[in-house]
Amino acid sequence: MATSLPRPLHALAATELTAAAKDRRWPKWQTMALLHSLDLPVLNACLIDPAHNATVVRTAAQELAAATGTKTLMIRSDGGVEKKQYYRGGNTFPIGEIPRRAAGLLADGRAVILAEPTNRFTNRLTVLIRMDRPEPGRPGSFTLEALGPGYDVADLTRGQIPPQVSAHLDDVDWDQYQPPRWNEWKLTGDRCPGGEDARRQRRLQRLATQTLTDSGHMNGTVGAEHAEAWLRERGFLHLFGPQPTREALAKRVRRLFEDAFLLALAQPNRNWHCLATAFSVVDEPRTIYWDLVDGERKYAATALTAAKDEERAA
């Protein structure tokens, strides 16, 4: 039987979104479908599973590019439970390079997610969102960690860059919505002397050795000063300007909590203990949610433990 060709996420019917949101083979795609079905902002994208060949990749890339009006696409990968080392996606490439870039991932048995591009050098706000509870039916907590202009999600999730501002709520009932009062929020900032300079240097070092190297702009042997020069030459000055992160986060905490509560209710694993997602203001007023991660199913070891627990419970 012929395999159906990939279709853009925003072109999927409600029944197709529901099916994709239940398909645990591809967790990133699963949660992108869930986010879109809940009318939360998510990039238009398509999933190419390992059964597809280069011709299908090329056709899917052209269709998505036409649907989004772009000449470049972002490449991400998806492959079930993750190992600690895996492809660091999120970079953008010309359409003609997509089949070659995707080939190695597909050959390794991973799916490829092609998405409309974003400029990861000009983000206005990046927030890591975490929902915790000790067990179903017991109160938990809600945490936001934020970085301001010029940073991106990978700085918080993989770059070991500490947030500029954090917001926290205790005693959250994840089963019954109650709007938090302002005095219940605990907002804290990084007050370490020289903290912002150190944070910026770490960001620039990551750009030099990872992001700009993978995209072909640098060769991996250069340092932070080269990344800074590259950004400045192209007018990407967000990282070097004011960082009004506290104000930007404060005006969004209520909406982010409402969205998180909606996601928690829609989470297929009703026994979840820790959920996380990431949110970006890519360019005012556009916002994006990235993935919804179940902490027990992100990596192979924890996913195996969770599966055994489910089997015993059944």
Side-chain angles (χ1 to χ4, degrees):
M1 188 171 82
T3 304
S4 59
L5 292 176
R7 295 175 58 220
L9 179 67
H10 292 188
L12 299 182
T15 54
E16 294 172 304
L17 281 176
T18 299
K22 293 179 179 178
D23 189 344
R24 289 179 54 190
R25 293 177 301 166
W26 319 116
K28 292 187 181 74
W29 183 250
Q30 176 190 17
T31 62
M32 290 179 76
L34 177 63
L35 287 161
H36 188 52
S37 70
L38 295 172
D39 290 327
L40 294 175
V42 64
L43 294 174
N44 199 359
C46 66
L47 176 78
I48 303 170
D49 70 40
H52 290 307
N53 58 29
T55 300
V56 173
V57 175
R58 188 176 299 107
T59 301
Q62 291 170 347
E63 181 177 350
L64 181 60
T68 55
T70 66
K71 295 182 179 180
T72 60
L73 291 174
M74 181 190 302
I75 292 184
R76 308 182 72 201
S77 77
D78 205 354
V81 293
E82 303 285 10
K83 300 176 182 179
K84 292 295 183 180
Q85 296 294 329
Y86 63 98
Y87 177 72
R88 300 185 178 192
N91 284 330
T92 297
F93 305 97
I95 301 300
E97 290 187 24
I98 297 297
R100 176 177 64 83
R101 296 274 181 174
L105 294 168
L106 296 175
D108 198 33
R110 294 186 64 82
V112 169
I113 296 175
L114 301 181
E116 59 179 300
T118 65
N119 187 336
R120 65 193 312 174
F121 312 116
T122 60
N123 291 330
R124 305 304 178 93
L125 178 70
T126 296
V127 185
L128 191 62
I129 303 169
R130 177 167 169 157
M131 299 149 267
D132 288 280
R133 64 179 184 182
E135 61 184 43
R138 292 185 59 188
S141 61
F142 179 63
T143 305
L144 303 171
E145 296 183 340
L147 289 170
Y151 293 93
D152 68 18
V153 169
D155 292 320
L156 287 168
T157 59
R158 298 194 298 264
Q160 299 180 329
I161 295 179
Q164 294 163 327
V165 182
S166 300
H168 185 80
L169 283 174
D170 285 316
D171 297 323
V172 176
D173 184 346
W174 289 110
D175 297 309
Q176 183 174 353
Y177 177 76
Q178 295 180 350
R181 299 181 180 89
W182 276 110
N183 64 340
E184 294 176 316
W185 287 99
K186 300 175 183 175
L187 265 72
T188 57
D190 181 3
R191 296 173 180 162
C192 177
E196 193 54 48
D197 288 340
R199 186 181 291 105
R200 187 181 299 110
Q201 283 299 112
R202 186 170 294 182
R203 163 67 168 163
L204 291 169
Q205 190 64 38
R206 283 194 66 251
L207 290 178
T209 59
Q210 297 176 18
T211 305
L212 295 175
T213 297
D214 183 52
S215 57
H217 296 294
M218 292 185 178
N219 61 16
T221 62
V222 295
E225 67 278 11
H226 299 90
E228 178 172 352
W230 188 91
L231 291 173
R232 289 187 181 277
E233 285 170 4
R234 287 156 182 80
F236 300 148
L237 305 179
H238 300 65
L239 188 65
F240 312 108
Q243 296 284 324
T245 312
R246 185 182 183 91
E247 296 82 358
L249 180 64
K251 75 177 185 180
R252 289 181 172 86
V253 290
R254 175 73 174 266
R255 180 58 184 271
L256 292 175
F257 178 74
E258 291 173 352
D259 290 350
F261 189 86
L262 179 64
L263 284 170
L265 287 181
Q267 167 64 18
N269 175 20
R270 301 311 304 152
N271 296 317
W272 64 268
H273 290 82
C274 176
L275 301 175
T277 186
F279 170 87
S280 296
V281 180
V282 293
D283 190 13
E284 295 282 7
R286 191 180 187 194
T287 60
I288 290 170
Y289 278 99
W290 293 92
D291 305 315
L292 177 65
V293 175
D294 184 340
E296 295 179 349
R297 293 176 174 171
K298 173 67 172 176
Y299 294 108
T302 53
L304 179 60
T305 300
K308 290 180 179 178
D309 289 343
E310 287 184 6
E311 184 178 346
R312 284 194 293 268

mmCIF file of all heavy atoms in Angstrom, residues 34-49:
data_model
loop_
_atom_site.group_PDB
_atom_site.id
_atom_site.type_symbol
_atom_site.label_atom_id
_atom_site.label_comp_id
_atom_site.label_asym_id
_atom_site.label_seq_id
_atom_site.Cartn_x
_atom_site.Cartn_y
_atom_site.Cartn_z
ATOM 1 N N LEU A 34 -1.126 18.617 18.796
ATOM 2 C CA LEU A 34 -1.958 18.931 19.960
ATOM 3 C C LEU A 34 -2.061 20.440 20.159
ATOM 4 O O LEU A 34 -3.157 20.978 20.368
ATOM 5 C CB LEU A 34 -1.376 18.266 21.212
ATOM 6 C CG LEU A 34 -2.090 18.569 22.526
ATOM 7 C CD1 LEU A 34 -3.517 18.048 22.506
ATOM 8 C CD2 LEU A 34 -1.318 17.982 23.705
ATOM 9 N N LEU A 35 -0.943 21.130 20.097
ATOM 10 C CA LEU A 35 -0.940 22.583 20.261
ATOM 11 C C LEU A 35 -1.821 23.257 19.211
ATOM 12 O O LEU A 35 -2.620 24.143 19.526
ATOM 13 C CB LEU A 35 0.495 23.108 20.160
ATOM 14 C CG LEU A 35 1.418 22.815 21.347
ATOM 15 C CD1 LEU A 35 2.879 22.956 20.930
ATOM 16 C CD2 LEU A 35 1.119 23.735 22.515
ATOM 17 N N HIS A 36 -1.684 22.825 17.965
ATOM 18 C CA HIS A 36 -2.475 23.436 16.894
ATOM 19 C C HIS A 36 -3.964 23.142 17.071
ATOM 20 O O HIS A 36 -4.813 24.008 16.810
ATOM 21 C CB HIS A 36 -1.988 22.931 15.543
ATOM 22 C CG HIS A 36 -2.603 23.620 14.373
ATOM 23 N ND1 HIS A 36 -2.622 24.990 14.232
ATOM 24 C CD2 HIS A 36 -3.255 23.126 13.277
ATOM 25 C CE1 HIS A 36 -3.239 25.320 13.105
ATOM 26 N NE2 HIS A 36 -3.645 24.203 12.519
ATOM 27 N N SER A 37 -4.290 21.923 17.529
ATOM 28 C CA SER A 37 -5.698 21.571 17.725
ATOM 29 C C SER A 37 -6.335 22.398 18.836
ATOM 30 O O SER A 37 -7.558 22.575 18.857
ATOM 31 C CB SER A 37 -5.840 20.081 18.040
ATOM 32 O OG SER A 37 -5.329 19.766 19.331
ATOM 33 N N LEU A 38 -5.509 22.913 19.757
ATOM 34 C CA LEU A 38 -6.003 23.743 20.853
ATOM 35 C C LEU A 38 -5.978 25.231 20.494
ATOM 36 O O LEU A 38 -6.208 26.080 21.359
ATOM 37 C CB LEU A 38 -5.162 23.506 22.108
ATOM 38 C CG LEU A 38 -5.236 22.098 22.707
ATOM 39 C CD1 LEU A 38 -4.214 21.941 23.833
ATOM 40 C CD2 LEU A 38 -6.634 21.775 23.197
ATOM 41 N N ASP A 39 -5.676 25.524 19.238
ATOM 42 C CA ASP A 39 -5.611 26.905 18.742
ATOM 43 C C ASP A 39 -4.510 27.718 19.414
ATOM 44 O O ASP A 39 -4.614 28.942 19.527
ATOM 45 C CB ASP A 39 -6.962 27.624 18.912
ATOM 46 C CG ASP A 39 -8.028 27.075 17.979
ATOM 47 O OD1 ASP A 39 -7.679 26.666 16.862
ATOM 48 O OD2 ASP A 39 -9.201 27.047 18.378
ATOM 49 N N LEU A 40 -3.450 27.048 19.852
ATOM 50 C CA LEU A 40 -2.277 27.738 20.358
ATOM 51 C C LEU A 40 -1.303 27.950 19.192
ATOM 52 O O LEU A 40 -1.218 27.112 18.288
ATOM 53 C CB LEU A 40 -1.614 26.936 21.478
ATOM 54 C CG LEU A 40 -2.458 26.805 22.754
ATOM 55 C CD1 LEU A 40 -1.771 25.891 23.752
ATOM 56 C CD2 LEU A 40 -2.741 28.159 23.371
ATOM 57 N N PRO A 41 -0.563 29.048 19.183
ATOM 58 C CA PRO A 41 0.290 29.350 18.027
ATOM 59 C C PRO A 41 1.450 28.380 17.898
ATOM 60 O O PRO A 41 2.192 28.143 18.850
ATOM 61 C CB PRO A 41 0.786 30.773 18.326
ATOM 62 C CG PRO A 41 0.707 30.898 19.825
ATOM 63 C CD PRO A 41 -0.486 30.088 20.227
ATOM 64 N N VAL A 42 1.598 27.806 16.729
ATOM 65 C CA VAL A 42 2.675 26.858 16.455
ATOM 66 C C VAL A 42 3.093 27.028 14.998
ATOM 67 O O VAL A 42 2.293 27.429 14.152
ATOM 68 C CB VAL A 42 2.204 25.406 16.741
ATOM 69 C CG1 VAL A 42 1.085 25.002 15.797
ATOM 70 C CG2 VAL A 42 3.358 24.422 16.675
ATOM 71 N N LEU A 43 4.350 26.760 14.701
ATOM 72 C CA LEU A 43 4.838 26.888 13.333
ATOM 73 C C LEU A 43 4.126 25.922 12.399
ATOM 74 O O LEU A 43 3.824 24.789 12.778
ATOM 75 C CB LEU A 43 6.348 26.598 13.280
ATOM 76 C CG LEU A 43 7.285 27.574 13.982
ATOM 77 C CD1 LEU A 43 8.705 27.039 13.934
ATOM 78 C CD2 LEU A 43 7.207 28.955 13.351
ATOM 79 N N ASN A 44 3.862 26.371 11.174
ATOM 80 C CA ASN A 44 3.380 25.436 10.166
ATOM 81 C C ASN A 44 4.540 24.516 9.802
ATOM 82 O O ASN A 44 5.690 24.964 9.672
ATOM 83 C CB ASN A 44 2.878 26.179 8.928
ATOM 84 C CG ASN A 44 1.964 25.323 8.079
ATOM 85 O OD1 ASN A 44 1.716 24.156 8.392
ATOM 86 N ND2 ASN A 44 1.449 25.890 7.004
ATOM 87 N N ALA A 45 4.258 23.233 9.640
ATOM 88 C CA ALA A 45 5.325 22.251 9.471
ATOM 89 C C ALA A 45 4.770 21.006 8.802
ATOM 90 O O ALA A 45 3.553 20.858 8.623
ATOM 91 C CB ALA A 45 5.931 21.891 10.834
ATOM 92 N N CYS A 46 5.659 20.096 8.435
ATOM 93 C CA CYS A 46 5.229 18.784 7.967
ATOM 94 C C CYS A 46 6.197 17.731 8.486
ATOM 95 O O CYS A 46 7.369 18.017 8.740
ATOM 96 C CB CYS A 46 5.127 18.732 6.439
ATOM 97 S SG CYS A 46 6.696 18.907 5.577
ATOM 98 N N LEU A 47 5.690 16.525 8.654
ATOM 99 C CA LEU A 47 6.478 15.407 9.165
ATOM 100 C C LEU A 47 6.826 14.468 8.020
ATOM 101 O O LEU A 47 5.953 14.054 7.253
ATOM 102 C CB LEU A 47 5.683 14.647 10.224
ATOM 103 C CG LEU A 47 6.375 13.399 10.774
ATOM 104 C CD1 LEU A 47 7.443 13.791 11.798
ATOM 105 C CD2 LEU A 47 5.371 12.435 11.403
ATOM 106 N N ILE A 48 8.108 14.117 7.923
ATOM 107 C CA ILE A 48 8.571 13.153 6.925
ATOM 108 C C ILE A 48 9.165 11.971 7.683
ATOM 109 O O ILE A 48 10.192 12.106 8.347
ATOM 110 C CB ILE A 48 9.625 13.779 5.997
ATOM 111 C CG1 ILE A 48 9.055 15.026 5.327
ATOM 112 C CG2 ILE A 48 10.091 12.773 4.954
ATOM 113 C CD1 ILE A 48 10.079 15.842 4.576
ATOM 114 N N ASP A 49 8.493 10.819 7.619
ATOM 115 C CA ASP A 49 8.985 9.682 8.393
ATOM 116 C C ASP A 49 10.063 8.933 7.611
ATOM 117 O O ASP A 49 10.248 9.155 6.405
ATOM 118 C CB ASP A 49 7.833 8.772 8.828
ATOM 119 C CG ASP A 49 7.191 8.006 7.691
ATOM 120 O OD1 ASP A 49 7.917 7.519 6.798
ATOM 121 O OD2 ASP A 49 5.957 7.874 7.693
#
